[in-house]
Amino acid sequence: MKILLTGVTGYIGKRLLPVLLQEGHELVCAVRDLDRFPFPDRVRAKVHLIDVDFLNADSLAVIPEDIEAAYYLIHSMSATSEYTDLEKKCAVNFRDRVNQTDCRHVIYLTGMVNDDQLSEHLTSRKMVEDELAIGKFALTALRAGIIIGSGSASFEIIRDLVEKLPIMVAPKWLKTRCQPIGVRDVLEFLVKSLGDERLYNHSFDIAGTDILNYREMLLTYAKVRGFKRLIFTVPVMTPRLSAYWLYFVTSTTYNLAQALVDSMKVEVVARDDRLNQLLDVHPSDYETAIKRAFKRIEKYDMRSSWKDSFVSGRFQKDIGDFIEVPKYGVFTDFRSREVADEENTLDKIWAIGGKTGYYYATWLWKIRGYLDKLVGGVGLRRGRTNVNRINRGDAIDFWRVLFADREEKRLLLFAEMRLPGDAWLEFKIKDGKLHQQATFRPKGVFGRLYWWAVWPFHGFIFHNMLKRMAGPSDAPYSTVIVS
C-alpha cells in the first residue's frame, strides 16, 4: 500500500516508519526540512521524501495523488502559545489536499477526550479530529493517554522526578486517574488499523491494562527501579507554580510543562477496550511498559526522544538556513591540533555532551546550563538520545545538530541556549588535524560585550578540550582568534 506518513521526525513517526517498511508498504514521507530526516541513507533509498510545510497550503502540491492511506501524526503542542490555531491550519490544509488524492483511509493518533472538562491541549486535539472527519476519506482516530516508552515526554518526566527526588511535595493533580499505554502497543494499534474497513469513520480509545493516578505511577516506577520514595500532595499549588516545579526538576520545557499541568487535571481513562478484540491486540500493563523502556535505555538504543523535537528548544527554522556558518560580522575562536588516532578522535566527537560531557571543565558547562535554565533556556536538561549515534536535527544538551557526517569527519552544532546572538561550534578532521571552531554572531552592543566577557574562559576551556579530543601529540597548536 502507498502511504503518506506525516510527523516522521517526531517521537511516534520515527518508530512507525521502520515498522511500515518491514510490512512491505511504499512510504511517502512528508518532512518540513529534508536535512532533518533522521534515518541513514539505506532507509532514505527505500522511501520517497517530499518537502512539505503543512502551514503552507501551496507546499502540499507535491503530495502524490496516488496515495492510498495516510497517518496524521502532526502535533504543535508547546511550540508556541498559539498552537491551537496552528493545529487547525495544519489539519485543514492536510484535509483539503488529501481530498484531492486517491487516499481512502487516514489514521489519526490523538488524545483521550472523555472528561467533561477538557484542557486547552485536549480541546485542540478534538478540534483537529473534527476537522479531519469532514474529509472525503475514512478517518480512524486512535485516542491514547500517557504513552510510556524510552524517550517519550511523559516517561522522561516520571523518570526525572523519581530519580532526582527522594521526597516530593507535589500538586493535588497527582490524584488524577489515567490509563497509560506502552509505545510498543501504540505502534501495534497503528499498524493493524491500516485499511481495516471495520474501523472507518470511528474513534477508539487505546490504553494499557492499568488505571492509576499519577502518584501511583511515580511509586510504581520507583518500585521497578528499586527506590523508596515519599510523596506528599498539597491542596494549594497554582498551575503556574506546578509548571515551574516540573520545569526546574525535569527535562521538560516551560511551555510543555504548562500544557501538561493543564492536561494532568483531566482524567484520561478509556471508555472501553473494543478495539483490542477487533484487532487482537493485547496491551501490556504499566510495569511491563517501564521495564521495556529501560531495556532500550540500558542498551543505549533509544529509537526516538521527544527532546529531539524542535519543541524542546528555541530552534524553529530550517536547519539548512544555518548550515553555512557566517564569516563576516562574527567573532571566531579557531584552534587546530594534530590527531594521534583519527578513529579515536571521531569516537570522542560523536560522544560529546550528555553523560560524556565536554572533556574539560564539564562543571563549568554545567554551571552555564544552570544559568541558562534560570533565564528560561533549555540548559543541559536534554542530554542526548544515543550515546554514540548522531543525526541531523538531534538535540545535544543546549545544542542542535545541524550537520553530522562521520565519513566527512565533521560535526556542526548550533546553540539553543539564550544568547544575545547566534553561536555555532564545529569539529572537523582534515589533513591529519582536528579543527575546532566556535563562531558567534552578536546581536547589538550587548552581544559584543557578552563575547568579550566569556572570551577569557574560552582560552583554557577550548584549548584543553581540543587537546583531550585530539589525543597526545608533540605538535604545536595553531590558534587564530578573529573578531
PDB file of all heavy atoms in Angstrom, residues 247 250-253 311-315 369 372-373 375-382 397-400 415-418:
ATOM      1  N   TYR A 247       9.284  22.241  35.367  1.00  0.00           N
ATOM      2  CA  TYR A 247      10.343  22.802  34.513  1.00  0.00           C
ATOM      3  C   TYR A 247      11.714  22.705  35.171  1.00  0.00           C
ATOM      4  O   TYR A 247      12.696  22.301  34.539  1.00  0.00           O
ATOM      5  CB  TYR A 247      10.004  24.257  34.191  1.00  0.00           C
ATOM      6  CG  TYR A 247      11.124  25.006  33.502  1.00  0.00           C
ATOM      7  CD1 TYR A 247      11.528  24.665  32.212  1.00  0.00           C
ATOM      8  CD2 TYR A 247      11.779  26.056  34.133  1.00  0.00           C
ATOM      9  CE1 TYR A 247      12.555  25.349  31.577  1.00  0.00           C
ATOM     10  CE2 TYR A 247      12.798  26.744  33.510  1.00  0.00           C
ATOM     11  CZ  TYR A 247      13.187  26.389  32.235  1.00  0.00           C
ATOM     12  OH  TYR A 247      14.204  27.056  31.615  1.00  0.00           O
ATOM     13  N   THR A 250      12.487  18.608  36.050  1.00  0.00           N
ATOM     14  CA  THR A 250      12.537  17.627  34.960  1.00  0.00           C
ATOM     15  C   THR A 250      13.183  18.228  33.713  1.00  0.00           C
ATOM     16  O   THR A 250      13.602  19.380  33.700  1.00  0.00           O
ATOM     17  CB  THR A 250      11.123  17.124  34.610  1.00  0.00           C
ATOM     18  OG1 THR A 250      10.407  18.145  33.903  1.00  0.00           O
ATOM     19  CG2 THR A 250      10.345  16.756  35.875  1.00  0.00           C
ATOM     20  N   SER A 251      13.201  17.437  32.650  1.00  0.00           N
ATOM     21  CA  SER A 251      13.824  17.865  31.404  1.00  0.00           C
ATOM     22  C   SER A 251      12.859  18.574  30.465  1.00  0.00           C
ATOM     23  O   SER A 251      13.208  18.897  29.335  1.00  0.00           O
ATOM     24  CB  SER A 251      14.416  16.644  30.680  1.00  0.00           C
ATOM     25  OG  SER A 251      13.406  15.690  30.434  1.00  0.00           O
ATOM     26  N   THR A 252      11.635  18.831  30.907  1.00  0.00           N
ATOM     27  CA  THR A 252      10.645  19.436  30.038  1.00  0.00           C
ATOM     28  C   THR A 252      10.889  20.930  29.853  1.00  0.00           C
ATOM     29  O   THR A 252      11.573  21.573  30.649  1.00  0.00           O
ATOM     30  CB  THR A 252       9.225  19.225  30.598  1.00  0.00           C
ATOM     31  OG1 THR A 252       8.271  19.698  29.667  1.00  0.00           O
ATOM     32  CG2 THR A 252       9.025  19.977  31.908  1.00  0.00           C
ATOM     33  N   THR A 253      10.310  21.497  28.796  1.00  0.00           N
ATOM     34  CA  THR A 253      10.327  22.945  28.602  1.00  0.00           C
ATOM     35  C   THR A 253       9.194  23.560  29.429  1.00  0.00           C
ATOM     36  O   THR A 253       8.254  22.869  29.835  1.00  0.00           O
ATOM     37  CB  THR A 253      10.103  23.317  27.132  1.00  0.00           C
ATOM     38  OG1 THR A 253       8.787  22.904  26.744  1.00  0.00           O
ATOM     39  CG2 THR A 253      11.138  22.629  26.234  1.00  0.00           C
ATOM     40  N   VAL A 311      10.240  21.351  19.510  1.00  0.00           N
ATOM     41  CA  VAL A 311       9.508  21.955  20.622  1.00  0.00           C
ATOM     42  C   VAL A 311      10.304  21.898  21.917  1.00  0.00           C
ATOM     43  O   VAL A 311       9.966  22.558  22.887  1.00  0.00           O
ATOM     44  CB  VAL A 311       8.132  21.277  20.854  1.00  0.00           C
ATOM     45  CG1 VAL A 311       7.278  21.366  19.620  1.00  0.00           C
ATOM     46  CG2 VAL A 311       8.284  19.836  21.327  1.00  0.00           C
ATOM     47  N   SER A 312      11.400  21.128  21.957  1.00  0.00           N
ATOM     48  CA  SER A 312      12.207  21.037  23.171  1.00  0.00           C
ATOM     49  C   SER A 312      13.158  22.214  23.320  1.00  0.00           C
ATOM     50  O   SER A 312      13.816  22.360  24.342  1.00  0.00           O
ATOM     51  CB  SER A 312      13.016  19.737  23.172  1.00  0.00           C
ATOM     52  OG  SER A 312      14.097  19.809  22.254  1.00  0.00           O
ATOM     53  N   GLY A 313      13.263  23.047  22.285  1.00  0.00           N
ATOM     54  CA  GLY A 313      14.179  24.180  22.353  1.00  0.00           C
ATOM     55  C   GLY A 313      13.617  25.380  21.632  1.00  0.00           C
ATOM     56  O   GLY A 313      12.424  25.480  21.368  1.00  0.00           O
ATOM     57  N   ARG A 314      14.491  26.332  21.263  1.00  0.00           N
ATOM     58  CA  ARG A 314      14.036  27.556  20.617  1.00  0.00           C
ATOM     59  C   ARG A 314      14.303  27.560  19.122  1.00  0.00           C
ATOM     60  O   ARG A 314      14.047  28.546  18.451  1.00  0.00           O
ATOM     61  CB  ARG A 314      14.696  28.777  21.272  1.00  0.00           C
ATOM     62  CG  ARG A 314      16.194  28.898  21.056  1.00  0.00           C
ATOM     63  CD  ARG A 314      16.782  30.077  21.829  1.00  0.00           C
ATOM     64  NE  ARG A 314      18.195  30.284  21.544  1.00  0.00           N
ATOM     65  CZ  ARG A 314      18.654  31.097  20.606  1.00  0.00           C
ATOM     66  NH1 ARG A 314      17.800  31.774  19.864  1.00  0.00           N
ATOM     67  NH2 ARG A 314      19.946  31.242  20.405  1.00  0.00           N
ATOM     68  N   PHE A 315      14.816  26.454  18.596  1.00  0.00           N
ATOM     69  CA  PHE A 315      15.148  26.387  17.181  1.00  0.00           C
ATOM     70  C   PHE A 315      13.886  26.070  16.395  1.00  0.00           C
ATOM     71  O   PHE A 315      13.355  24.976  16.480  1.00  0.00           O
ATOM     72  CB  PHE A 315      16.211  25.308  16.939  1.00  0.00           C
ATOM     73  CG  PHE A 315      16.882  25.396  15.600  1.00  0.00           C
ATOM     74  CD1 PHE A 315      18.079  26.051  15.461  1.00  0.00           C
ATOM     75  CD2 PHE A 315      16.315  24.825  14.474  1.00  0.00           C
ATOM     76  CE1 PHE A 315      18.716  26.142  14.227  1.00  0.00           C
ATOM     77  CE2 PHE A 315      16.924  24.904  13.239  1.00  0.00           C
ATOM     78  CZ  PHE A 315      18.134  25.570  13.117  1.00  0.00           C
ATOM     79  N   GLY A 369      24.803  25.754  31.933  1.00  0.00           N
ATOM     80  CA  GLY A 369      23.480  25.183  31.713  1.00  0.00           C
ATOM     81  C   GLY A 369      22.483  25.608  32.776  1.00  0.00           C
ATOM     82  O   GLY A 369      21.333  25.943  32.470  1.00  0.00           O
ATOM     83  N   ASP A 372      21.481  29.146  32.186  1.00  0.00           N
ATOM     84  CA  ASP A 372      20.579  29.230  31.043  1.00  0.00           C
ATOM     85  C   ASP A 372      19.160  28.854  31.439  1.00  0.00           C
ATOM     86  O   ASP A 372      18.186  29.504  31.034  1.00  0.00           O
ATOM     87  CB  ASP A 372      21.081  28.311  29.922  1.00  0.00           C
ATOM     88  CG  ASP A 372      20.301  28.483  28.631  1.00  0.00           C
ATOM     89  OD1 ASP A 372      20.207  29.630  28.152  1.00  0.00           O
ATOM     90  OD2 ASP A 372      19.780  27.481  28.114  1.00  0.00           O
ATOM     91  N   LYS A 373      19.039  27.824  32.246  1.00  0.00           N
ATOM     92  CA  LYS A 373      17.708  27.381  32.660  1.00  0.00           C
ATOM     93  C   LYS A 373      17.029  28.414  33.553  1.00  0.00           C
ATOM     94  O   LYS A 373      15.815  28.600  33.496  1.00  0.00           O
ATOM     95  CB  LYS A 373      17.801  26.034  33.375  1.00  0.00           C
ATOM     96  CG  LYS A 373      16.450  25.333  33.517  1.00  0.00           C
ATOM     97  CD  LYS A 373      16.595  23.864  33.781  1.00  0.00           C
ATOM     98  CE  LYS A 373      15.229  23.186  33.754  1.00  0.00           C
ATOM     99  NZ  LYS A 373      15.307  21.731  33.917  1.00  0.00           N
ATOM    100  N   VAL A 375      17.084  31.530  33.241  1.00  0.00           N
ATOM    101  CA  VAL A 375      16.502  32.603  32.427  1.00  0.00           C
ATOM    102  C   VAL A 375      15.554  32.044  31.360  1.00  0.00           C
ATOM    103  O   VAL A 375      15.241  32.706  30.380  1.00  0.00           O
ATOM    104  CB  VAL A 375      17.609  33.464  31.767  1.00  0.00           C
ATOM    105  CG1 VAL A 375      18.402  34.196  32.819  1.00  0.00           C
ATOM    106  CG2 VAL A 375      18.529  32.627  30.883  1.00  0.00           C
ATOM    107  N   GLY A 376      15.110  30.791  31.568  1.00  0.00           N
ATOM    108  CA  GLY A 376      14.109  30.209  30.676  1.00  0.00           C
ATOM    109  C   GLY A 376      14.662  29.460  29.492  1.00  0.00           C
ATOM    110  O   GLY A 376      13.917  29.112  28.573  1.00  0.00           O
ATOM    111  N   GLY A 377      15.977  29.183  29.487  1.00  0.00           N
ATOM    112  CA  GLY A 377      16.583  28.441  28.388  1.00  0.00           C
ATOM    113  C   GLY A 377      16.468  26.937  28.575  1.00  0.00           C
ATOM    114  O   GLY A 377      15.876  26.454  29.539  1.00  0.00           O
ATOM    115  N   VAL A 378      17.074  26.200  27.659  1.00  0.00           N
ATOM    116  CA  VAL A 378      16.966  24.738  27.706  1.00  0.00           C
ATOM    117  C   VAL A 378      17.958  24.115  28.682  1.00  0.00           C
ATOM    118  O   VAL A 378      17.762  22.993  29.154  1.00  0.00           O
ATOM    119  CB  VAL A 378      17.187  24.123  26.305  1.00  0.00           C
ATOM    120  CG1 VAL A 378      16.107  24.579  25.358  1.00  0.00           C
ATOM    121  CG2 VAL A 378      18.557  24.473  25.739  1.00  0.00           C
ATOM    122  N   GLY A 379      19.048  24.815  29.005  1.00  0.00           N
ATOM    123  CA  GLY A 379      20.052  24.250  29.901  1.00  0.00           C
ATOM    124  C   GLY A 379      20.631  22.959  29.343  1.00  0.00           C
ATOM    125  O   GLY A 379      20.636  22.726  28.135  1.00  0.00           O
ATOM    126  N   LEU A 380      21.119  22.116  30.242  1.00  0.00           N
ATOM    127  CA  LEU A 380      21.688  20.829  29.828  1.00  0.00           C
ATOM    128  C   LEU A 380      20.698  19.692  30.012  1.00  0.00           C
ATOM    129  O   LEU A 380      21.061  18.519  29.926  1.00  0.00           O
ATOM    130  CB  LEU A 380      22.958  20.527  30.639  1.00  0.00           C
ATOM    131  CG  LEU A 380      24.129  21.498  30.484  1.00  0.00           C
ATOM    132  CD1 LEU A 380      25.298  21.054  31.363  1.00  0.00           C
ATOM    133  CD2 LEU A 380      24.588  21.582  29.040  1.00  0.00           C
ATOM    134  N   ARG A 381      19.425  20.021  30.266  1.00  0.00           N
ATOM    135  CA  ARG A 381      18.446  19.018  30.674  1.00  0.00           C
ATOM    136  C   ARG A 381      18.179  17.948  29.630  1.00  0.00           C
ATOM    137  O   ARG A 381      17.771  16.850  29.953  1.00  0.00           O
ATOM    138  CB  ARG A 381      17.120  19.708  31.012  1.00  0.00           C
ATOM    139  CG  ARG A 381      16.566  20.489  29.845  1.00  0.00           C
ATOM    140  CD  ARG A 381      15.255  21.172  30.180  1.00  0.00           C
ATOM    141  NE  ARG A 381      14.867  22.090  29.141  1.00  0.00           N
ATOM    142  CZ  ARG A 381      14.358  21.728  27.972  1.00  0.00           C
ATOM    143  NH1 ARG A 381      14.206  20.450  27.702  1.00  0.00           N
ATOM    144  NH2 ARG A 381      14.027  22.620  27.071  1.00  0.00           N
ATOM    145  N   ARG A 382      18.424  18.254  28.344  1.00  0.00           N
ATOM    146  CA  ARG A 382      18.027  17.305  27.299  1.00  0.00           C
ATOM    147  C   ARG A 382      19.010  16.154  27.140  1.00  0.00           C
ATOM    148  O   ARG A 382      18.632  15.080  26.672  1.00  0.00           O
ATOM    149  CB  ARG A 382      17.873  18.038  25.956  1.00  0.00           C
ATOM    150  CG  ARG A 382      16.777  19.070  25.978  1.00  0.00           C
ATOM    151  CD  ARG A 382      16.574  19.722  24.633  1.00  0.00           C
ATOM    152  NE  ARG A 382      17.769  20.365  24.127  1.00  0.00           N
ATOM    153  CZ  ARG A 382      17.795  21.153  23.061  1.00  0.00           C
ATOM    154  NH1 ARG A 382      16.669  21.394  22.414  1.00  0.00           N
ATOM    155  NH2 ARG A 382      18.910  21.712  22.647  1.00  0.00           N
ATOM    156  N   ASP A 397      22.289  18.360  24.697  1.00  0.00           N
ATOM    157  CA  ASP A 397      22.285  19.380  25.740  1.00  0.00           C
ATOM    158  C   ASP A 397      21.632  20.655  25.211  1.00  0.00           C
ATOM    159  O   ASP A 397      20.510  20.618  24.754  1.00  0.00           O
ATOM    160  CB  ASP A 397      23.704  19.639  26.252  1.00  0.00           C
ATOM    161  CG  ASP A 397      24.311  18.400  26.904  1.00  0.00           C
ATOM    162  OD1 ASP A 397      23.542  17.619  27.479  1.00  0.00           O
ATOM    163  OD2 ASP A 397      25.530  18.218  26.824  1.00  0.00           O
ATOM    164  N   PHE A 398      22.366  21.780  25.228  1.00  0.00           N
ATOM    165  CA  PHE A 398      21.769  23.013  24.703  1.00  0.00           C
ATOM    166  C   PHE A 398      22.192  23.288  23.263  1.00  0.00           C
ATOM    167  O   PHE A 398      22.129  24.422  22.780  1.00  0.00           O
ATOM    168  CB  PHE A 398      22.064  24.237  25.577  1.00  0.00           C
ATOM    169  CG  PHE A 398      23.457  24.347  26.127  1.00  0.00           C
ATOM    170  CD1 PHE A 398      24.561  24.124  25.343  1.00  0.00           C
ATOM    171  CD2 PHE A 398      23.645  24.702  27.456  1.00  0.00           C
ATOM    172  CE1 PHE A 398      25.835  24.263  25.852  1.00  0.00           C
ATOM    173  CE2 PHE A 398      24.919  24.839  27.972  1.00  0.00           C
ATOM    174  CZ  PHE A 398      26.018  24.623  27.175  1.00  0.00           C
ATOM    175  N   TRP A 399      22.598  22.244  22.544  1.00  0.00           N
ATOM    176  CA  TRP A 399      22.962  22.363  21.138  1.00  0.00           C
ATOM    177  C   TRP A 399      21.935  21.653  20.253  1.00  0.00           C
ATOM    178  O   TRP A 399      21.302  20.685  20.676  1.00  0.00           O
ATOM    179  CB  TRP A 399      24.333  21.741  20.867  1.00  0.00           C
ATOM    180  CG  TRP A 399      25.453  22.287  21.681  1.00  0.00           C
ATOM    181  CD1 TRP A 399      25.983  21.738  22.809  1.00  0.00           C
ATOM    182  CD2 TRP A 399      26.198  23.486  21.436  1.00  0.00           C
ATOM    183  NE1 TRP A 399      27.016  22.515  23.284  1.00  0.00           N
ATOM    184  CE2 TRP A 399      27.168  23.598  22.461  1.00  0.00           C
ATOM    185  CE3 TRP A 399      26.143  24.473  20.453  1.00  0.00           C
ATOM    186  CZ2 TRP A 399      28.067  24.658  22.528  1.00  0.00           C
ATOM    187  CZ3 TRP A 399      27.027  25.529  20.512  1.00  0.00           C
ATOM    188  CH2 TRP A 399      27.974  25.616  21.542  1.00  0.00           C
ATOM    189  N   ARG A 400      21.819  22.100  18.997  1.00  0.00           N
ATOM    190  CA  ARG A 400      21.048  21.410  17.976  1.00  0.00           C
ATOM    191  C   ARG A 400      22.028  20.974  16.888  1.00  0.00           C
ATOM    192  O   ARG A 400      22.856  21.771  16.437  1.00  0.00           O
ATOM    193  CB  ARG A 400      19.996  22.342  17.376  1.00  0.00           C
ATOM    194  CG  ARG A 400      19.132  21.708  16.289  1.00  0.00           C
ATOM    195  CD  ARG A 400      18.187  20.661  16.831  1.00  0.00           C
ATOM    196  NE  ARG A 400      17.249  21.206  17.799  1.00  0.00           N
ATOM    197  CZ  ARG A 400      16.291  20.488  18.357  1.00  0.00           C
ATOM    198  NH1 ARG A 400      16.146  19.206  18.052  1.00  0.00           N
ATOM    199  NH2 ARG A 400      15.484  21.024  19.259  1.00  0.00           N
ATOM    200  N   ALA A 415      23.845  26.634  18.927  1.00  0.00           N
ATOM    201  CA  ALA A 415      23.457  26.822  20.331  1.00  0.00           C
ATOM    202  C   ALA A 415      21.993  27.220  20.452  1.00  0.00           C
ATOM    203  O   ALA A 415      21.543  28.172  19.812  1.00  0.00           O
ATOM    204  CB  ALA A 415      24.347  27.890  20.964  1.00  0.00           C
ATOM    205  N   GLU A 416      21.258  26.481  21.299  1.00  0.00           N
ATOM    206  CA  GLU A 416      19.874  26.839  21.592  1.00  0.00           C
ATOM    207  C   GLU A 416      19.738  27.491  22.962  1.00  0.00           C
ATOM    208  O   GLU A 416      18.632  27.757  23.405  1.00  0.00           O
ATOM    209  CB  GLU A 416      18.972  25.605  21.510  1.00  0.00           C
ATOM    210  CG  GLU A 416      18.753  25.101  20.101  1.00  0.00           C
ATOM    211  CD  GLU A 416      17.594  24.125  20.023  1.00  0.00           C
ATOM    212  OE1 GLU A 416      17.822  22.926  20.244  1.00  0.00           O
ATOM    213  OE2 GLU A 416      16.463  24.563  19.740  1.00  0.00           O
ATOM    214  N   MET A 417      20.840  27.731  23.630  1.00  0.00           N
ATOM    215  CA  MET A 417      20.797  28.457  24.892  1.00  0.00           C
ATOM    216  C   MET A 417      20.414  29.910  24.617  1.00  0.00           C
ATOM    217  O   MET A 417      20.502  30.386  23.482  1.00  0.00           O
ATOM    218  CB  MET A 417      22.152  28.387  25.593  1.00  0.00           C
ATOM    219  CG  MET A 417      23.266  29.105  24.864  1.00  0.00           C
ATOM    220  SD  MET A 417      24.890  28.828  25.589  1.00  0.00           S
ATOM    221  CE  MET A 417      25.366  27.275  24.820  1.00  0.00           C
ATOM    222  N   ARG A 418      19.980  30.608  25.644  1.00  0.00           N
ATOM    223  CA  ARG A 418      19.610  32.013  25.474  1.00  0.00           C
ATOM    224  C   ARG A 418      20.875  32.858  25.394  1.00  0.00           C
ATOM    225  O   ARG A 418      21.667  32.893  26.330  1.00  0.00           O
ATOM    226  CB  ARG A 418      18.716  32.469  26.625  1.00  0.00           C
ATOM    227  CG  ARG A 418      17.337  31.828  26.574  1.00  0.00           C
ATOM    228  CD  ARG A 418      16.351  32.536  27.470  1.00  0.00           C
ATOM    229  NE  ARG A 418      15.010  31.976  27.334  1.00  0.00           N
ATOM    230  CZ  ARG A 418      14.131  32.360  26.423  1.00  0.00           C
ATOM    231  NH1 ARG A 418      14.457  33.306  25.568  1.00  0.00           N
ATOM    232  NH2 ARG A 418      12.932  31.822  26.367  1.00  0.00           N
TER     233      ARG A 418
END
